[in-house]
Amino acid sequence: MAATGVAAPGVVTGSTMPGLTPGIPGAAGLNGNFPAWQNQGLSSLPNQNLPLSGRDALVNQFGRPGNGVIPQPNLLPGQLAPDFSEPSSAEKAMSAEDEKIQKPQPFRIGKLTQFGYNFFRQPTSFAPQVDIPVGPDYLLGPGDTIILTVWGSVDMTLPLEVNRSGEVVLPRVGAARVWGVPFGKVSEVLRSALSRTFKNVQLNVTMGKLRLMKVYVVGEVSAPGDYDISALSTVINALSAAGGPTKEGSLRSIQVLRGGKVVENVDLYDFFLKGDKSHDIRLRPGDTINVPVHGKLVGIAGNARKPAIYELIGQPTLKDVIDLAGGVSADGYLQRIQISRVVQNQKKVVADLDLDLKLTPDALQAHLAQVQLQDMDLVRIFPIDFTVRNNVVLDGYVLRPGGYALKPGMRLADVATRDNMLPEYWPETVELTRLVLPDHHTERLYLNLRLAQQGDTVQNILLQEFDTIRVFSRWEMEEIPKARISGDVQNPGVYRIFPNTTLRDLVLAAGNVKKTAFLKSTEISRSLITKDGVKSRLINVDLDLALRGDPTANLPLENFDEVMVRRLPEWKEETDRYCTLTGEVRFPGVYPIVKGEHLSSLIERAGGYTGKAYLKAAKFTRKLTRELQQKRMDEVIERTERELTRKQQELVAVASSKDELEATKATLESMKTSLDKLKQAKAEGRVSLELTPLERLKGSAYDLELQGGDTLDIPQSTNSVMIFGEVYNPTTAVETPGQTVQDYLKKAGGPTASAEEMEMYVVRADGTVVSRREVRGFFFDSFLSMKLDAGDTIVVPQRLEKVAWMREIKDIAYILGQTALAAGVLVAAGL
């Protein structure tokens, strides 16, 4: 067995590990693997290597004094107030998610601190108490003050200070020596002194100010030196005044020297762990407190109640360090306690202990006491496996989901009982996920829950550990019946239907019908699903009767039904029932129209034209026209943008010279700018019409039948003509009756050298366009002699270079120009 590294029951193996006694007779239960402390057979943990050796190894890992290490909870009284928002180890263990199998987490030591030192690092450290009653055994000395109260034949209250001679001076009596007199007997001394002068007096003595005494604190303390402390001070008071022992100093072997001899050895662990202050003696003047270097240090980490680094005295054992740590927590794994040790300042090795759980507590303690430890040992107590055993899980559409204890002979129906099901659960199928031995691979079984609950042994199978039962809802396994309602109801949409849901129920679920609903005829479209396919059927019902509950019309609905609630015939929405008149009419505003009403009728209702109305510039827009224009504009802009991109890519190959290339680039950039402008513009929806006085307008071709959303704006005369584009001075000229295009061009300086004169056009005030090509005759230019009216605009485009590859660009320019006119935007540059 020694060769394999496995010990016989009751034997600790690993004879070469210093401090561990091999082959302890009767050590039953310590049969964990303690392999030989050589390189072979060692069980080490990742990320737990302690650097260096000796004391430096432990100090480097756990931190030197003042390294900012946060103390662990429950270290000792007087430490930094713990953060109660941080869960404790017990809270973490009990709040762990109740999973069947949890992924194990790596064991981490965390930050261990040396036990006890934080007691002296707090601002509320143990200070000397000067306000406590003085005991009768307190010996008075120079510097003490007592309060003497006398009544009887004489009344007086005197503060009396003990002088350097050890005496107090009484009026009319003299000095009385009290040095070394116990406080309990000082009243007798003073009464005797007073009785020599006064008769029939009573007195009372209380302690006033206590004297200070000098003591010395040396050794491994934060601030060694001499200190003046209260005469009631103890060893802990003096250590607190000196800042307490450093982490290199001992807490267990503090010496009190008096007259060169050790009068007391103080172990602060008695006070920290048990509250025992019996060795915290009261100091005397001249006493010296010596704090030597600490003794053997042993760390305990993991699932101990108070993980820390402890100082041990004598020959430490595993029992000693576990007792100091408050014992092993309930979730500590006793089958593997690992000891990490630095051997002969050369290497670090580990060994594992396995404690037999069958041992009695006394026997277990005895065996722990036989495992000896050395300086700088680190004991790791691992957590138990938190996997919930002997457990099955019920999940899904149930009243009480969660884990259930697996009992012998337990079957599916014993957990998935009828009274544990939520309403509308699916009884035909239940999913059971199982880990199958020997490799614990996952399998899923689908069983009939209804038959299992009825006792069918095939479906009501025996459960195994780690089984998970999932119950489905009806609507996870069945498609929810639904119907759609549209048209004139408050909330059209898709609604779930139930058995016996009727047409009236669906209408009410949709918020009832609107006032505009046509109740005499409602259409139900029904889909009949068969094995061969789907057939449709239309059902017309009287919705008015259905809403009254008439069974002949209030039909039950079926899955996939679609109900269409029609609108009243000829009903129009608000936007389809109003037209707008603005400008020079007597009563501008928004007017409701009737079906078949004409433009002249609306103008007449608005009181007719005012005297300032300029009929030639009237602007009539229509909603439907605007939508169609916008659609065409978007299509043209998108197509033109693609053409411009293509031409830009062809420039290098087509241009014959650098100047030509630059000119083409400039032209394309100008077109692109115009295109960007058009993207921002929206179609006006303008319809060109010739507005005339009412008597002539009635019955004419321009007396349009109105539609909802129509607008008519009749402006005043602008008395001006705009000249726009490639002229020397684009301007707005005052309209002069009888003047022609040529006259107005002269006012703007005439076309520039880059103007394309043959492509000039005029945009009339009524929105119509007249181009030079359109009106030019064979023998004379009627375009230049065309008379203009107020509100007209002359547009002079830019001339493009006469090269073959520019033809396509010119075509693009023409398209942009036409699109701009549709949007009511004048774009002359580059067109």
Side-chain angles (χ1 to χ4, degrees):
M1 288 187 178
T4 62
V6 178
V11 177
V12 179
T13 63
S15 59
T16 59
M17 178 177 179
L20 289 180
T21 305
I24 300 175
L30 294 178
N31 55 354
N33 295 333
F34 254 55
W37 286 80
Q38 280 82 25
N39 289 332
Q40 69 274 16
L42 297 178
S43 59
S44 62
L45 293 174
N47 304 322
Q48 304 301 329
N49 296 325
L50 299 182
L52 307 178
S53 62
R55 180 201 299 177
D56 286 341
L58 200 57
V59 170
N60 282 357
Q61 179 168 353
F62 302 127
R64 297 183 180 276
N67 66 351
V69 174
I70 298 174
Q72 296 294 321
N74 301 326
L75 286 180
L76 70 161
Q79 71 178 66
L80 282 173
D83 182 4
F84 290 103
S85 63
E86 178 68 21
S88 67
S89 57
E91 289 171 336
K92 291 178 181 178
M94 293 188 179
S95 302
E97 188 175 354
D98 194 12
E99 297 179 356
K100 289 194 307 179
I101 298 179
Q102 296 184 356
K103 182 179 179 181
Q105 299 296 321
F107 179 86
R108 301 186 185 279
I109 291 179
K111 293 183 178 180
L112 291 180
T113 57
Q114 289 177 254
F115 176 79
Y117 292 90
N118 287 330
F119 177 84
F120 297 99
R121 303 293 183 260
Q122 312 311 315
T124 57
S125 296
F126 198 98
Q129 292 179 294
V130 296
D131 56 349
I132 62 173
V134 175
D137 57 342
Y138 176 73
L139 302 179
L140 294 180
D144 284 338
T145 299
I146 58 176
I147 308 299
L148 173 64
T149 303
V150 181
W151 66 94
S153 59
V154 62
D155 294 331
M156 57 182 175
T157 299
L158 301 173
L160 303 175
E161 182 177 355
V162 181
N163 59 26
R164 293 185 178 182
S165 300
E167 299 173 334
V168 294
V169 179
L170 300 173
R172 299 173 58 187
V173 174
R177 186 175 181 81
V178 295
W179 192 351
V181 176
F183 179 70
K185 295 182 178 180
V186 70
S187 58
E188 297 179 5
V189 174
L190 297 180
R191 181 179 286 108
S192 176
L194 288 171
S195 63
R196 294 197 297 266
T197 304
F198 302 101
K199 304 297 182 180
N200 300 322
V201 294
Q202 301 294 323
L203 59 86
N204 181 54
V205 179
T206 58
M207 196 70 199
K209 178 182 175 182
L210 294 176
R211 70 178 182 273
L212 295 179
M213 62 181 181
K214 187 179 294 293
V215 296
Y216 303 90
V217 184
V218 297
E220 299 295 329
V221 291
S222 297
D226 58 278
Y227 291 90
D228 292 326
I229 60 177
S230 166
L232 295 178
S233 296
T234 64
V235 176
I236 293 179
N237 300 145
L239 289 174
S240 296
T246 67
K247 289 190 176 181
E248 307 302 323
S250 173
L251 296 181
R252 309 204 63 181
S253 300
I254 299 173
Q255 300 171 339
V256 179
L257 293 90
R258 186 173 296 157
K261 297 180 180 180
V262 176
V263 295
E264 189 69 57
N265 280 299
V266 180
D267 185 351
L268 291 181
Y269 276 24
D270 291 338
F271 172 54
F272 293 155
L273 296 174
K274 306 173 186 177
D276 182 4
K277 291 186 63 179
S278 58
H279 295 282
D280 185 26
I281 62 173
R282 186 176 296 170
L283 298 177
R284 295 184 182 179
D287 282 355
T288 298
I289 300 172
N290 178 40
V291 180
V293 175
H294 61 66
K296 297 178 181 178
L297 297 180
V298 176
I300 181 167
N303 288 68
R305 298 188 184 278
K306 292 186 290 186
I309 302 171
Y310 293 93
E311 178 185 356
L312 282 84
I313 55 179
Q315 181 57 51
T317 65
L318 184 57
K319 178 182 181 301
D320 296 334
V321 71
I322 290 178
D323 289 344
L324 290 174
V328 179
S329 61
D331 53 355
Y333 186 60
L334 296 180
Q335 282 77 4
R336 185 190 179 196
I337 296 180
Q338 188 176 87
I339 301 175
S340 174
R341 175 169 296 174
V342 177
V343 178
Q344 297 178 352
N345 295 83
Q346 294 179 353
K347 59 184 177 180
K348 178 176 280 292
V349 292
V350 296
D352 291 338
L353 283 171
D354 183 354
L355 302 182
D356 191 349
L357 294 180
K358 298 179 181 178
L359 291 174
T360 63
D362 292 341
L364 182 61
Q365 293 296 320
H367 295 323
L368 290 175
Q370 294 176 340
V371 180
Q372 296 182 351
L373 300 179
Q374 293 185 3
D375 188 21
M376 303 309 297
D377 278 357
L378 176 62
V379 179
R380 295 181 176 93
I381 300 178
F382 296 91
I384 63 171
D385 177 12
F386 281 96
T387 301
V388 181
R389 308 302 297 262
N390 195 35
N391 175 71
V392 294
V393 176
L394 180 63
D395 196 10
Y397 207 68
V398 295
L399 184 62
R400 292 175 288 274
Y404 288 78
L406 179 62
K407 301 176 183 178
M410 179 180 284
R411 294 182 176 270
L412 173 62
D414 297 331
V415 176
T417 58
R418 285 192 180 92
D419 62 353
N420 202 10
M421 300 294 109
L422 289 173
E424 295 189 325
Y425 78 98
W426 179 250
E428 302 302 321
T429 306
V430 66
E431 179 186 87
L432 189 142
T433 304
R434 171 166 290 178
L435 301 181
V436 182
L437 296 173
D439 58 349
H440 287 90
H441 68 273
T442 302
E443 288 186 1
R444 283 185 176 172
L445 307 175
Y446 290 91
L447 306 167
N448 190 305
L449 180 57
R450 177 176 53 81
L451 295 179
Q453 291 172 342
Q454 292 175 358
D456 188 321
T457 55
V458 176
Q459 303 296 323
N460 192 25
I461 65 174
L462 284 169
L463 297 180
Q464 297 180 8
E465 189 178 43
F466 302 135
D467 279 354
T468 297
I469 304 160
R470 182 186 174 195
V471 178
F472 299 98
S473 72
R474 180 176 297 276
W475 308 120
E476 288 179 281
M477 307 301 290
E478 284 185 354
E479 187 175 4
I480 298 177
K482 55 186 179 293
R484 181 187 300 273
I485 184 169
S486 59
D488 270 31
V489 292
Q490 300 288 347
N491 301 300
V494 178
Y495 291 86
R496 175 181 173 181
I497 62 173
F498 301 89
N500 301 321
T501 296
T502 63
L503 174 59
R504 178 178 181 273
D505 299 334
L506 180 62
V507 171
L508 295 178
N512 213 340
V513 295
K514 294 182 178 180
K515 295 294 185 182
T516 57
F518 183 62
L519 302 182
K520 290 300 181 184
S521 177
T522 293
E523 183 180 88
I524 301 176
S525 177
R526 179 161 292 172
S527 299
L528 303 176
I529 301 176
T530 65
K531 294 181 179 179
D532 299 327
V534 180
K535 296 180 180 180
S536 297
R537 176 188 172 194
L538 296 178
I539 306 172
N540 282 293
V541 298
D542 188 323
L543 184 57
D544 187 34
L545 293 177
L547 293 176
R548 295 179 185 179
D550 190 327
T552 60
N554 190 27
L555 303 179
L557 296 180
E558 296 181 6
N559 197 14
F560 306 120
D561 278 357
E562 296 197 16
V563 178
M564 174 62 186
V565 179
R566 300 184 177 93
R567 179 170 294 179
L568 288 171
E570 300 183 4
W571 177 266
K572 295 183 178 180
E573 294 290 347
E574 183 175 341
T575 55
D576 298 329
R577 293 188 288 118
Y578 293 91
C579 289
T580 303
L581 283 181
T582 59
E584 296 304 319
V585 292
R586 294 190 64 191
F587 305 107
V590 179
Y591 288 84
I593 60 174
V594 296
K595 186 175 183 181
E597 186 171 5
H598 288 262
L599 179 60
S600 60
S601 172
L602 182 62
I603 296 174
E604 201 169 40
R605 290 168 58 192
Y609 310 124
T610 68
K612 297 180 180 180
Y614 185 48
L615 301 184
K616 288 185 178 180
K619 183 177 180 181
F620 182 84
T621 61
R622 174 157 285 176
K623 178 182 175 183
L624 180 60
T625 304
R626 180 167 59 251
E627 292 172 353
L628 291 174
Q629 285 180 350
Q630 187 64 50
K631 182 178 179 181
R632 298 292 180 265
M633 280 179 58
D634 293 341
E635 293 173 353
V636 170
I637 290 173
E638 183 181 358
R639 183 169 62 252
T640 305
E641 197 168 26
R642 290 199 301 268
E643 288 297 319
L644 285 176
T645 303
R646 182 179 64 82
K647 292 306 299 178
Q648 284 178 323
Q649 295 172 350
E650 295 176 358
L651 277 178
V652 177
V654 176
S656 59
S657 67
K658 182 178 180 181
D659 292 340
E660 189 175 297
L661 179 62
E662 294 298 327
T664 305
K665 283 183 177 180
T667 302
L668 289 176
E669 288 298 325
S670 177
M671 289 184 176
K672 192 172 182 181
T673 302
S674 300
L675 189 63
D676 292 338
K677 183 178 180 181
L678 284 178
K679 284 182 180 180
Q680 303 299 322
K682 298 297 179 183
E684 289 186 313
R686 184 171 184 176
V687 178
S688 296
L689 55 80
E690 183 179 332
L691 199 61
T692 57
L694 285 177
E695 59 273 10
R696 291 173 52 193
L697 182 62
K698 290 180 180 179
S700 69
Y702 296 106
D703 192 11
L704 303 178
E705 183 177 339
L706 296 175
Q707 298 178 5
D710 286 351
T711 64
L712 176 63
D713 179 45
I714 304 174
Q716 297 181 14
S717 175
T718 61
N719 297 319
S720 63
V721 174
M722 181 183 294
I723 304 96
F724 183 73
E726 293 297 316
V727 292
Y728 283 99
N729 181 30
T731 186
T732 299
V734 176
E735 182 260 342
T736 304
Q739 289 201 339
T740 64
V741 171
Q742 188 169 7
D743 295 332
Y744 286 108
L745 285 174
K746 288 180 180 178
K747 293 181 179 182
T752 64
S754 60
E756 184 64 83
E757 296 184 36
M758 296 305 298
E759 299 296 335
M760 290 190 296
Y761 59 90
V762 173
V763 181
R764 292 287 192 180
D766 62 359
T768 58
V769 178
V770 180
S771 69
R772 187 172 188 179
R773 287 183 179 275
E774 178 185 358
V775 299
R776 187 183 181 204
F778 288 102
F779 302 105
F780 64 94
D781 195 341
S782 59
F783 178 80
L784 293 176
S785 61
M786 184 173 59
K787 295 180 179 180
L788 299 182
D789 297 322
D792 291 349
T793 301
I794 302 172
V795 181
V796 183
Q798 181 182 357
R799 183 177 69 244
L800 301 177
E801 295 295 331
K802 304 300 182 181
V803 292
W805 59 269
M806 283 292 240
R807 292 173 186 168
E808 293 186 24
I809 297 180
K810 195 169 184 180
D811 293 338
I812 294 173
Y814 176 76
I815 293 171
L816 286 178
Q818 297 303 312
T819 305
L821 290 175
V825 179
L826 294 179
V827 183
L831 300 183

